[in-house]
Structures are given as C-alpha cells and as structure tokens.
Amino acid sequence: MTKSRILLAAKELFEEKGFDRTTVREVAAKAEANVALINYHFGSKENLLAAIVEEMTSETRLKLTGIHNSLLGPAEKLEQVIELYVDRLHSNSEYYQMIQRELSTRLLRPELHDSLSATLKRNKDEIKKLLEEGQQKKIFKKDIDQDLVISTIFGLMYQTTHSGFREKIIKCTEDAEAFKLRVKQYLWALLKSYIVK
C-alpha cells in the first residue's frame, strides 16, 4: 500500500538524517510516490511524523493492554512491561533516539511536540494503571512515585540504546542479547526493590 510505503520511507529517513534535514521530496522518492500524494494523505511533514509515532505507539499499546488484561499478578505484569520495552527500544533504537530529539525541540515546533507527547502519554497511562492495580492489591507500596517509576524505566532504556553510552557500559564478553538481558534484570531488580512490598 502506498500509505504504508510512505510511512516506512519517512521513518527510515527521519532516523537516518533527522526530521529537519529530511525533505518531503526525499520521502516521496524513497517511497516511489509523488509529493502530492504525501500531501493528500498527511498534509505536512509534521503530520507524517505524528502518523509514524501513532502507528508505533499503537502497536506497543496493544501489547500493554494484553499484559494488563492478563491473569498475571501485578509484579509479573510489570516485569513483562520491562521486557516488552527493553526489546522494543533495543530493536528500534534509531527510531526512539529520533523521537527523543524531536521531543527536545519543544520551542521550535510546540504543536508537534504536544501532539507527540499526547500520543506517548497514552502508553504511559497504561503503565500507571498497572502500578495502581499493584497498589490496590497491596502488592506494590502505597507511596511509590508513579511518574518517577516511569521516568526510571524510560530513562534507563533510552540511555542503554544510545550508542555512545552503550559502548561505555557494555562488557567485552557481551553480545547484544546478553546486554539486553542485563538491562532487563537490572531494571527489574531496581524497580522491585522500590515498588514491591
């Protein structure tokens, strides 16, 4: 489908060159489409990025909802959330770094920043529901700071997917899978010590 080809081409170019340095004409050439078609489907380069984020976030949200609705206990659900996000961020590190760059340019494009933030917030709200469930079931401590828990999860994962930081902490005996496993184990141990009663 042309629309999905456009989204894929834009995602790859935004990751490779950055949002500002990518032109709609380049997206059209890579997608083998014309500029008018991109304007018809998306209206602007900003809307194109927003559509990419919506698509990526929706996929994750479906998985988060599945975890939340499962019969697992709150601690096991949180462990699965960590597993999901570490896998997703490490598999799509260029995408997530590009999103972080865009979120840091709030003053340049406030409307785009707010749109991306609102889309990402829906997934963070799913994690908050899981934390609240754990508190209601008295598995998690009553006084945990949910916002800082979520910031800890994402902060550590963004750092460990950044090539400059990762090179400094990856062990010479580790391959990518072993490093991912170490990140999951560390993050779960850290959060468990703070959250679980």
Side-chain angles (χ1 to χ4, degrees):
M1 231 184 141
T2 307
K3 195 171 178 182
S4 55
R5 275 202 336 261
I6 292 168
L7 287 171
L8 180 61
K11 179 179 177 288
E12 289 173 358
L13 285 167
F14 292 161
E15 289 171 0
E16 179 188 329
K17 297 180 68 177
F19 179 78
D20 286 324
R21 291 187 306 231
T22 301
T23 67
V24 173
R25 201 169 294 286
E26 289 171 315
V27 174
K30 188 171 181 79
E32 298 176 1
N34 61 48
V35 172
L37 196 57
I38 293 174
N39 288 331
Y40 171 76
H41 283 300
F42 301 101
S44 69
K45 190 168 78 165
E46 288 78 9
N47 289 346
L48 187 53
L49 178 58
I52 292 165
V53 173
E54 180 61 48
E55 185 176 276
M56 294 288 287
T57 306
S58 293
E59 289 173 22
T60 304
R61 191 163 43 257
L62 280 173
K63 292 180 180 179
L64 286 172
T65 302
I67 292 169
H68 185 73
N69 293 335
S70 73
L71 298 175
L72 295 172
E76 291 80 11
K77 288 179 184 180
L78 185 58
E79 192 170 7
Q80 286 211 342
V81 166
I82 291 168
E83 179 130 351
L84 168 68
Y85 269 107
V86 171
D87 286 340
R88 271 193 76 78
L89 266 73
H90 281 257
S91 299
N92 298 287
S93 60
E94 294 86 6
Y95 164 77
Y96 287 102
Q97 287 171 26
M98 180 264 297
I99 294 303
Q100 285 305 304
R101 281 193 306 272
E102 273 315 298
L103 289 173
S104 70
T105 61
R106 181 178 193 161
L107 297 176
L108 294 175
R109 291 180 285 278
E111 288 177 15
L112 179 60
H113 175 277
D114 293 346
S115 168
L116 298 181
S117 295
T119 300
L120 296 169
K121 183 181 180 301
R122 292 196 296 264
N123 285 7
K124 290 177 181 176
D125 288 344
E126 286 296 316
I127 299 172
K128 277 191 174 186
K129 282 191 231 173
L130 193 152
L131 294 172
E132 287 165 2
E133 177 193 352
Q135 288 175 308
Q136 289 166 358
K137 292 184 174 179
K138 301 188 186 313
I139 304 295
F140 297 160
K141 296 172 187 170
K142 184 181 177 185
D143 61 345
I144 61 172
D145 188 321
Q146 293 180 359
D147 292 319
L148 287 179
V149 167
I150 292 169
S151 295
T152 299
I153 293 170
F154 289 106
L156 178 70
M157 286 189 286
Y158 288 132
Q159 287 291 319
T160 59
T161 58
H162 191 279
S163 58
F165 181 81
R166 186 174 148 159
E167 287 171 8
K168 293 176 184 172
I169 63 168
I170 195 166
K171 296 176 181 175
C172 60
T173 57
E174 284 179 318
D175 62 8
E177 286 304 308
F179 180 63
K180 270 194 334 190
L181 180 61
R182 181 160 64 110
V183 171
K184 290 175 190 177
Q185 290 172 337
Y186 173 79
L187 188 52
W188 174 234
L190 179 71
L191 290 178
K192 190 164 67 169
S193 69
Y194 173 64
I195 293 173
V196 179
K197 283 187 168 186

